Structures are given as structure tokens and as C-alpha cells.
Amino acid sequence: MYMESIERYLSEVGPVYAALLATVFTWLLTAAGAGMIFFFRNLNRAWQDVMLGFTGGVMLAASFWSLLNPSIELAEKEYPDMSWLPAAAGFVLGAMFIFGLDKVAPHLHINFMAHESEGMKTRWHQTTLLILAITLHNIPEGLAVGVLFGAAANGTDGVTIASAITLAIGIGLQNFPEGFSVAVPLRRHGVSRLKCFWYGQLSAIVEPMAGVLGASAVLYINPILPYALAFAAGAMIYVVVEEVIPETQRDKNTDVAVLGLIGGFVVMMVLDVAFG
């Protein structure tokens, strides 16, 4: 009943505004996760790795079930002789987009040492580099939600408002532990709890911007839709493989981190199949 009411409301307000509301929801869940720093001094490293693994699992499942699969289905109708091209090209472009940002933007992954920072060399504080790493991580998530709302508005077969809402819920679920995972390392570096919360939630502020951009792009340039869906998938997969998985494998908790990833994948898959 509640899902139907939300679906009806978001279909009435238009895809761009719907994408904004959905990504504000994912941002707020990041803030809620970061707010846990007020109640806990630290986070056991094993649990942190499990939570990061869960994040990766959700992103992997969302990349296929919510993005790549609709892209391929759409391409089969519009490009029957080359149905593989939009998905393949969009996927590569999405991965290369994040690859380019990764090489240019200074950042430091969670659980990495200061001398392992990536991107352009800078004298920025380690805290800033940590925040930038998660910010880069959140761009494809917001983009994916926005693209899906735009696709639903265009009447794309296999893509509905419900599937876009489901993706936003999945992204939000993994944003909650992610927000806490950002705040904890900052606390270890001596940052106050209030600043840990502020910086933790700030890392997801790009999601509403990316969501609006994604919805607007596919709404007004309909032919790019299968490419845009695959683009978001490629960007998310790059983040998982280059950032999330390595972060979970740097300590002795590799097995439970993998179980966290499996759990995240199953949760997102069930959400998408059951409600999308």
C-alpha cells in the first residue's frame, strides 16, 4: 500500500523531481549512518569490512538487475542486429569516466595509509582525501538512480517507477553503513564527532546532483538511454572492483567481507526481482 502510494506520487511529480527526492533519501540515509558516530566510539574492523562488502554486493547486483539487463533488453528492440553495442559501449565509457576521475582527483580510500593516496599529488589533509574518495564513490550511485527514473518516464520496457524506487532503496540501505564507515576513520584521526558526522553526510551530497543530471539527460536525449543505463553500471562496477573490494581485503577479515558482499548482492537481487 505504501509502495503504491509512493510510486503514484513520484510518477505524478515528473522524473527529474522524483530523482531528486529519491537521491535526497539516499543522502539522508548516509547522514543517518554517519550519525551513529555519536553513539559508538569505534567500529570493529571485521564489522567494517562486512559492511563495506555489503555495499559492494548491493552495487554489483544493482549494476546488472537494475541497469545492464534493461539496457540489453532495450537495445534488442532498437538495435536488433547489434544489440550488444549500446551495453558494451556504455559500460566501457562509464568505467573509463570513473577511471579518469580516479587518476585526476586526489583521494584516499578507507583503510589505506596516507602515502597510498591516489590522483594528483597534493598537500591536502588526510581527512579531505578520505571524504573525496567516498564522494567519487557516490557519483555513479546517484547517476544510476536518476537514469532509471528517466528511463521509467520514457516508458522503457522493463523499467518502471517501482524499479527506480527499488534501486533507490537498495542504494540507501548500503549508504547507511557506508556513512558510518566514513565517520569512523575520521574519528580515529582525531576529528570531533560533530565534524565526523558533517563530513560523513557531506560525502553523499553529490548523489542528488548526479541523480538530477542522469534523469535530465535521458529524458531529453532519449536515444542515449541504453548507453546511459550501461554507463551507470560500468561506473558502479569500476568503483566496486577498484575501491570497495580492495578495502575489505587488507586485514584478516577477507572471508566475512566476502560473505557481506554475497549478502548485499542477494538483498539487492531480491528487492529488484520482488518489487522492481
Side-chain angles (χ1 to χ4, degrees):
M1 181 177 179
Y2 290 110
M3 184 70 168
E4 292 177 358
S5 299
I6 295 172
E7 184 179 352
R8 184 166 55 252
Y9 174 74
L10 292 179
S11 64
E12 292 173 353
V13 300
V16 175
Y17 188 56
L20 175 62
L21 291 177
T23 47
V24 165
F25 164 76
T26 62
W27 169 34
L28 290 176
L29 281 180
T30 304
M36 297 300 290
I37 199 66
F38 291 112
F39 304 98
F40 299 94
R41 292 184 176 184
N42 207 336
L43 176 66
N44 181 277
R45 178 62 184 270
W47 279 110
Q48 184 178 6
D49 288 340
V50 169
M51 289 160 63
L52 286 172
F54 181 87
T55 293
V58 169
M59 294 175 72
L60 283 175
S63 296
F64 176 75
W65 296 100
S66 299
L67 299 169
L68 270 181
N69 194 43
S71 172
I72 293 170
E73 290 180 354
L74 181 61
E76 286 175 346
K77 296 181 179 181
E78 297 192 9
Y79 309 95
D81 296 328
M82 300 183 70
S83 59
W84 52 268
L85 179 60
F91 190 86
V92 171
L93 287 173
M96 294 306 296
F97 171 71
I98 300 298
F99 172 81
L101 289 180
D102 191 68
K103 294 302 179 184
V104 174
H107 61 283
L108 177 66
H109 297 315
I110 297 173
N111 298 327
F112 279 52
M113 303 298 292
H115 67 275
E116 296 177 285
S117 62
E118 300 178 1
M120 297 176 61
K121 297 302 178 183
T122 178
R123 294 184 178 181
W124 290 351
H125 194 274
Q126 192 170 349
T127 298
T128 304
L129 297 177
L130 282 167
I131 296 166
L132 284 175
I134 302 300
T135 300
L136 291 175
H137 178 153
N138 285 324
I139 291 174
E141 295 175 5
L143 187 65
V145 173
V147 166
L148 216 58
F149 272 104
N154 280 331
T156 304
D157 291 340
V159 180
T160 63
I161 293 293
S163 62
I165 294 172
T166 300
L167 177 61
I169 292 172
I171 295 296
L173 284 176
Q174 61 96 21
N175 273 5
F176 182 86
E178 185 178 272
F180 192 33
S181 295
V182 176
V184 167
L186 297 179
R187 184 62 179 160
R188 291 197 192 115
H189 288 105
V191 180
S192 70
R193 279 190 169 86
L194 183 59
K195 286 187 177 180
C196 286
F197 165 75
W198 174 253
Y199 291 137
Q201 63 81 30
L202 193 63
S203 67
I205 191 64
V206 295
E207 288 193 5
M209 293 183 280
V212 168
L213 178 62
S216 300
V218 300
L219 184 64
Y220 296 109
I221 316 175
N222 190 51
I224 73 167
L225 182 52
Y227 295 92
L229 289 166
F231 182 96
M236 290 179 71
I237 292 294
Y238 185 93
V239 167
V240 172
V241 177
E242 195 275 336
E243 177 183 337
V244 177
I245 292 178
E247 289 174 6
T248 66
Q249 302 298 302
R250 293 176 63 85
D251 203 44
K252 57 185 178 182
N253 309 307
T254 56
D255 290 343
V256 292
V258 172
L259 292 177
L261 186 143
I262 297 298
F265 188 96
V266 170
V267 167
M268 187 64 225
M269 179 180 66
V270 170
L271 283 173
D272 194 82
V273 175
F275 303 109

PDB file of all heavy atoms in Angstrom, residues 6 42 45 47 66 95 128 152 176 186 196 210 217 219 222 245:
ATOM      1  N   ILE A   6       3.682   5.770  -2.876  1.00  0.00           N
ATOM      2  CA  ILE A   6       4.935   6.435  -3.245  1.00  0.00           C
ATOM      3  C   ILE A   6       5.131   6.404  -4.750  1.00  0.00           C
ATOM      4  O   ILE A   6       5.511   7.403  -5.362  1.00  0.00           O
ATOM      5  CB  ILE A   6       6.126   5.757  -2.523  1.00  0.00           C
ATOM      6  CG1 ILE A   6       6.012   5.959  -1.014  1.00  0.00           C
ATOM      7  CG2 ILE A   6       7.445   6.312  -3.049  1.00  0.00           C
ATOM      8  CD1 ILE A   6       7.028   5.157  -0.221  1.00  0.00           C
ATOM      9  N   ASN A  42      33.842   3.558  18.250  1.00  0.00           N
ATOM     10  CA  ASN A  42      34.643   2.902  17.230  1.00  0.00           C
ATOM     11  C   ASN A  42      33.800   1.812  16.573  1.00  0.00           C
ATOM     12  O   ASN A  42      32.688   1.543  16.990  1.00  0.00           O
ATOM     13  CB  ASN A  42      35.918   2.304  17.831  1.00  0.00           C
ATOM     14  CG  ASN A  42      37.045   2.213  16.815  1.00  0.00           C
ATOM     15  OD1 ASN A  42      36.805   2.165  15.613  1.00  0.00           O
ATOM     16  ND2 ASN A  42      38.275   2.196  17.307  1.00  0.00           N
ATOM     17  N   ARG A  45      36.880  -3.726  13.259  1.00  0.00           N
ATOM     18  CA  ARG A  45      37.351  -3.791  11.872  1.00  0.00           C
ATOM     19  C   ARG A  45      36.631  -4.877  11.076  1.00  0.00           C
ATOM     20  O   ARG A  45      36.332  -4.692   9.881  1.00  0.00           O
ATOM     21  CB  ARG A  45      38.862  -4.034  11.867  1.00  0.00           C
ATOM     22  CG  ARG A  45      39.493  -4.173  10.484  1.00  0.00           C
ATOM     23  CD  ARG A  45      39.327  -2.921   9.646  1.00  0.00           C
ATOM     24  NE  ARG A  45      39.863  -3.128   8.321  1.00  0.00           N
ATOM     25  CZ  ARG A  45      41.132  -2.874   7.961  1.00  0.00           C
ATOM     26  NH1 ARG A  45      41.991  -2.415   8.857  1.00  0.00           N
ATOM     27  NH2 ARG A  45      41.522  -3.078   6.726  1.00  0.00           N
ATOM     28  N   TRP A  47      33.533  -5.892  11.409  1.00  0.00           N
ATOM     29  CA  TRP A  47      32.221  -5.389  11.029  1.00  0.00           C
ATOM     30  C   TRP A  47      32.329  -4.333   9.938  1.00  0.00           C
ATOM     31  O   TRP A  47      31.481  -4.253   9.041  1.00  0.00           O
ATOM     32  CB  TRP A  47      31.495  -4.826  12.248  1.00  0.00           C
ATOM     33  CG  TRP A  47      30.838  -5.873  13.080  1.00  0.00           C
ATOM     34  CD1 TRP A  47      31.205  -6.296  14.321  1.00  0.00           C
ATOM     35  CD2 TRP A  47      29.695  -6.658  12.718  1.00  0.00           C
ATOM     36  NE1 TRP A  47      30.377  -7.293  14.761  1.00  0.00           N
ATOM     37  CE2 TRP A  47      29.435  -7.539  13.799  1.00  0.00           C
ATOM     38  CE3 TRP A  47      28.872  -6.709  11.591  1.00  0.00           C
ATOM     39  CZ2 TRP A  47      28.380  -8.446  13.785  1.00  0.00           C
ATOM     40  CZ3 TRP A  47      27.815  -7.621  11.571  1.00  0.00           C
ATOM     41  CH2 TRP A  47      27.590  -8.468  12.651  1.00  0.00           C
ATOM     42  N   SER A  66      19.315  -3.868 -12.297  1.00  0.00           N
ATOM     43  CA  SER A  66      18.617  -2.594 -12.483  1.00  0.00           C
ATOM     44  C   SER A  66      19.106  -1.802 -13.690  1.00  0.00           C
ATOM     45  O   SER A  66      18.386  -0.914 -14.169  1.00  0.00           O
ATOM     46  CB  SER A  66      18.767  -1.722 -11.227  1.00  0.00           C
ATOM     47  OG  SER A  66      18.214  -2.358 -10.104  1.00  0.00           O
ATOM     48  N   ALA A  95      32.981   3.050 -17.017  1.00  0.00           N
ATOM     49  CA  ALA A  95      34.177   2.649 -16.279  1.00  0.00           C
ATOM     50  C   ALA A  95      35.319   3.630 -16.533  1.00  0.00           C
ATOM     51  O   ALA A  95      36.042   4.017 -15.603  1.00  0.00           O
ATOM     52  CB  ALA A  95      34.591   1.236 -16.688  1.00  0.00           C
ATOM     53  N   THR A 128      40.436  15.248   4.251  1.00  0.00           N
ATOM     54  CA  THR A 128      39.869  15.702   2.989  1.00  0.00           C
ATOM     55  C   THR A 128      39.961  14.629   1.924  1.00  0.00           C
ATOM     56  O   THR A 128      39.020  14.411   1.148  1.00  0.00           O
ATOM     57  CB  THR A 128      40.600  16.975   2.511  1.00  0.00           C
ATOM     58  OG1 THR A 128      40.539  17.970   3.528  1.00  0.00           O
ATOM     59  CG2 THR A 128      39.979  17.515   1.232  1.00  0.00           C
ATOM     60  N   ALA A 152      12.158   5.218 -16.791  1.00  0.00           N
ATOM     61  CA  ALA A 152      10.769   4.884 -16.456  1.00  0.00           C
ATOM     62  C   ALA A 152       9.808   5.914 -17.057  1.00  0.00           C
ATOM     63  O   ALA A 152       8.733   5.564 -17.564  1.00  0.00           O
ATOM     64  CB  ALA A 152      10.592   4.812 -14.947  1.00  0.00           C
ATOM     65  N   PHE A 176      23.730   3.588   4.427  1.00  0.00           N
ATOM     66  CA  PHE A 176      23.708   3.716   5.891  1.00  0.00           C
ATOM     67  C   PHE A 176      25.015   3.220   6.519  1.00  0.00           C
ATOM     68  O   PHE A 176      25.691   3.974   7.229  1.00  0.00           O
ATOM     69  CB  PHE A 176      22.505   2.982   6.470  1.00  0.00           C
ATOM     70  CG  PHE A 176      22.386   3.111   7.963  1.00  0.00           C
ATOM     71  CD1 PHE A 176      21.745   4.201   8.522  1.00  0.00           C
ATOM     72  CD2 PHE A 176      22.929   2.153   8.807  1.00  0.00           C
ATOM     73  CE1 PHE A 176      21.642   4.336   9.908  1.00  0.00           C
ATOM     74  CE2 PHE A 176      22.841   2.277  10.185  1.00  0.00           C
ATOM     75  CZ  PHE A 176      22.201   3.363  10.737  1.00  0.00           C
ATOM     76  N   LEU A 186      37.598   8.935  10.303  1.00  0.00           N
ATOM     77  CA  LEU A 186      37.830  10.340  10.622  1.00  0.00           C
ATOM     78  C   LEU A 186      37.988  10.520  12.128  1.00  0.00           C
ATOM     79  O   LEU A 186      38.836  11.294  12.593  1.00  0.00           O
ATOM     80  CB  LEU A 186      36.664  11.198  10.114  1.00  0.00           C
ATOM     81  CG  LEU A 186      36.444  11.219   8.599  1.00  0.00           C
ATOM     82  CD1 LEU A 186      35.238  12.085   8.250  1.00  0.00           C
ATOM     83  CD2 LEU A 186      37.682  11.722   7.872  1.00  0.00           C
ATOM     84  N   CYS A 196      32.880  14.640  12.249  1.00  0.00           N
ATOM     85  CA  CYS A 196      32.785  13.316  11.621  1.00  0.00           C
ATOM     86  C   CYS A 196      31.420  13.136  10.973  1.00  0.00           C
ATOM     87  O   CYS A 196      31.310  12.635   9.845  1.00  0.00           O
ATOM     88  CB  CYS A 196      33.010  12.218  12.655  1.00  0.00           C
ATOM     89  SG  CYS A 196      34.721  12.029  13.186  1.00  0.00           S
ATOM     90  N   ALA A 210      23.960  14.250  -9.097  1.00  0.00           N
ATOM     91  CA  ALA A 210      24.140  13.247 -10.145  1.00  0.00           C
ATOM     92  C   ALA A 210      22.794  12.660 -10.564  1.00  0.00           C
ATOM     93  O   ALA A 210      22.577  12.363 -11.749  1.00  0.00           O
ATOM     94  CB  ALA A 210      25.075  12.144  -9.655  1.00  0.00           C
ATOM     95  N   ALA A 217      19.259  13.974 -18.524  1.00  0.00           N
ATOM     96  CA  ALA A 217      19.937  13.550 -19.745  1.00  0.00           C
ATOM     97  C   ALA A 217      19.094  12.564 -20.541  1.00  0.00           C
ATOM     98  O   ALA A 217      18.875  12.738 -21.745  1.00  0.00           O
ATOM     99  CB  ALA A 217      21.299  12.938 -19.411  1.00  0.00           C
ATOM    100  N   LEU A 219      15.926  11.939 -20.219  1.00  0.00           N
ATOM    101  CA  LEU A 219      14.595  12.456 -20.506  1.00  0.00           C
ATOM    102  C   LEU A 219      14.581  13.270 -21.791  1.00  0.00           C
ATOM    103  O   LEU A 219      13.657  13.180 -22.588  1.00  0.00           O
ATOM    104  CB  LEU A 219      14.107  13.316 -19.334  1.00  0.00           C
ATOM    105  CG  LEU A 219      12.683  13.863 -19.439  1.00  0.00           C
ATOM    106  CD1 LEU A 219      11.673  12.713 -19.444  1.00  0.00           C
ATOM    107  CD2 LEU A 219      12.393  14.818 -18.289  1.00  0.00           C
ATOM    108  N   ASN A 222      16.522  10.873 -25.564  1.00  0.00           N
ATOM    109  CA  ASN A 222      16.042   9.502 -25.443  1.00  0.00           C
ATOM    110  C   ASN A 222      16.929   8.457 -26.128  1.00  0.00           C
ATOM    111  O   ASN A 222      17.094   7.355 -25.607  1.00  0.00           O
ATOM    112  CB  ASN A 222      14.619   9.406 -25.991  1.00  0.00           C
ATOM    113  CG  ASN A 222      13.980   8.075 -25.677  1.00  0.00           C
ATOM    114  OD1 ASN A 222      13.986   7.644 -24.537  1.00  0.00           O
ATOM    115  ND2 ASN A 222      13.419   7.436 -26.696  1.00  0.00           N
ATOM    116  N   ILE A 245      36.166  -3.566  -2.934  1.00  0.00           N
ATOM    117  CA  ILE A 245      36.731  -4.892  -2.649  1.00  0.00           C
ATOM    118  C   ILE A 245      38.147  -4.801  -2.083  1.00  0.00           C
ATOM    119  O   ILE A 245      38.447  -5.460  -1.071  1.00  0.00           O
ATOM    120  CB  ILE A 245      36.677  -5.787  -3.903  1.00  0.00           C
ATOM    121  CG1 ILE A 245      35.215  -6.126  -4.232  1.00  0.00           C
ATOM    122  CG2 ILE A 245      37.479  -7.071  -3.686  1.00  0.00           C
ATOM    123  CD1 ILE A 245      35.027  -6.960  -5.478  1.00  0.00           C
TER     124      ILE A 245
END
